Amino acid sequence: MIEALRQRARLNALIRGFFAARDVLEVETPIMSAAGNTEPNIEGFHTRFSGHVDAGSPQRWLRTSPEYPLKRLLAAGVGDCYELGRVFRNGEAGGRHNPEFTMLEWYRVGWDHHRLIEETIALVQEALALVQRPPASVRIVSYRELFMQAVALDPFLADEVQLRAGLGEVGIQPDGLTRDDWLDLLMSHRIQSQFAVDAITVIHDWPASQAALARIRPGTPPLAERFELYLGPVELANGYHELNDAVEQRQRFERDLAIRATRGAEQPPLDEAFLAALPSLPACAGVAVGVDRLLMALAGTPRIGDVLAFDFARA
């Protein structure tokens, strides 16, 4: 455990040096917010403030990422920036998940997601060098190409019956699952395991229905300007060419809440301060990296507890 703590400290120093050399500003944003995350597959924690009512909304949500306040800073003109800090997600604890974990998130003004892919790869390669591992081979592939090669299905044309059949022997309870859920299950249960352990795999041009906060590029089909990066079979990063259309973003949030309602999930309040700032967001690209996942990959362990001082069970 002590060596794992030293390795974390070395990685944190590498990250800060990486961005200092590129003139990207380190910032800190609130961990507690009056708004929550509407994403249907992410559950947040919340608490209540017991002080005077003039201080603001008493219910506060622990951040699931620093994305919204970072974009408010970008809209205010801060320029290229990053944050390295703790985030919180409810519902999963075990081998690969801890309810509190460390996230690195950064934004590049004037960049698109393709340019940001290259910088994200460079950071991971420097992290590999930190543990004397040779540079990883790199594979950059579109979402459609990946599915065609890995499971012989076109993810934009296959129906739900075909997607379910593509899971083969994997047994899944189908109640309440959407088409996007089946695509995610194919990715996690059939495709990721095929990634070479010594390779970086980057997947770009995702379905528009999985855009989250990314721009959608018109076409047939329309595509989300989003990427995910994997080291071996481990997902490390999720990045976007960022949407700055507040009307469209509000519609996406409202669709999320409608899905959450069908599942009986909580309805977190929308981040109105973020939506108000969004029209002033400069053209930019951003990415979030799971630092604990990166440490796991560097250490060659499947257990997140091996890279934490104390995991959830011992906290």
Side-chain angles (χ1 to χ4, degrees):
M1 181 185 73
I2 302 302
E3 178 53 32
L5 297 181
R6 293 193 177 103
Q7 183 61 38
R8 181 182 289 271
R10 289 191 287 266
L11 179 60
N12 288 348
L14 181 151
I15 288 168
R16 290 189 164 99
F18 182 90
F19 289 114
R22 291 161 171 78
D23 197 27
V24 180
L25 179 68
E26 181 174 10
V27 298
E28 291 185 341
T29 61
I31 286 176
M32 294 188 295
S33 171
N37 188 336
T38 63
E39 213 285 329
N41 296 318
I42 294 177
E43 291 298 329
F45 290 97
H46 52 78
T47 186
R48 292 193 70 81
F49 174 67
S50 61
H52 197 278
V53 294
D54 289 347
S57 172
Q59 179 164 277
R60 295 284 157 157
W61 296 75
L62 274 65
R63 66 184 185 183
T64 59
S65 88
E67 181 166 6
Y68 300 166
L70 285 176
K71 287 181 176 177
R72 288 168 64 187
L73 290 178
L74 287 161
V78 74
D80 296 338
C81 62
Y82 78 96
E83 183 164 5
L84 176 63
R86 303 294 270 185
V87 297
F88 306 86
R89 298 187 181 185
N90 203 350
E92 289 190 70
R96 295 179 61 189
H97 298 89
N98 204 63
E100 59 173 307
F101 58 99
T102 301
M103 180 178 286
L104 165 67
E105 188 159 329
W106 79 93
Y107 291 85
R108 290 296 219 151
V109 175
W111 288 24
D112 66 7
H113 57 304
H114 289 292
R115 189 173 178 188
L116 189 58
I117 285 171
E118 298 303 322
E119 187 167 63
T120 310
I121 291 170
L123 177 64
V124 175
Q125 297 283 29
E126 288 199 19
L128 290 169
L130 188 67
V131 293
Q132 290 77 52
R133 282 174 57 178
S137 62
V138 176
R139 178 191 182 201
I140 300 176
V141 62
S142 75
Y143 188 90
R144 176 176 246 162
E145 291 170 334
L146 179 69
F147 270 74
M148 295 289 287
Q149 294 168 9
V151 291
L153 288 171
D154 186 324
F156 298 100
L157 299 179
D159 60 28
E160 285 191 31
V161 173
Q162 292 170 309
L163 296 178
R164 291 173 61 177
L167 284 166
E169 300 293 320
V170 179
I172 300 292
Q173 169 55 252
D175 294 347
L177 296 184
T178 66
R179 189 175 189 282
D180 281 323
D181 292 325
W182 292 111
L183 289 170
D184 288 346
L185 288 165
L186 279 167
M187 181 71 78
S188 60
H189 287 70
R190 290 288 313 278
I191 297 175
Q192 284 177 231
S193 61
Q194 299 181 31
F195 295 163
V197 295
D198 57 350
I200 292 170
T201 303
V202 181
I203 308 161
H204 63 89
D205 287 350
W206 288 62
S209 57
Q210 298 187 35
L213 286 90
R215 299 186 185 206
I216 294 176
R217 187 169 69 251
T220 307
L223 298 171
E225 295 192 328
R226 169 188 170 192
F227 71 90
E228 286 189 358
L229 181 147
Y230 295 75
L231 180 56
V234 179
E235 179 194 343
L236 296 184
N238 186 20
Y240 306 137
H241 190 194
E242 302 292 346
L243 177 69
N244 58 4
D245 182 330
V247 173
E248 181 177 347
Q249 189 60 70
R250 183 181 295 276
Q251 291 171 348
R252 293 186 193 181
F253 285 163
E254 290 171 349
R255 283 196 297 269
D256 287 347
L257 290 176
I259 294 171
R260 294 179 68 87
T262 66
R263 299 176 179 178
E266 284 189 292
Q267 301 282 296
L270 301 187
D271 194 326
E272 295 294 346
F274 163 67
L275 289 168
L278 203 52
S280 299
L281 182 72
C284 63
V287 62
V289 173
V291 174
D292 308 276
R293 290 279 185 90
L294 178 54
L295 285 163
M296 290 164 63
L298 297 180
T301 177
R303 295 185 63 254
I304 195 170
D306 291 341
V307 300
L308 300 173
F310 304 103
D311 63 13
F312 189 65
R314 297 181 297 141

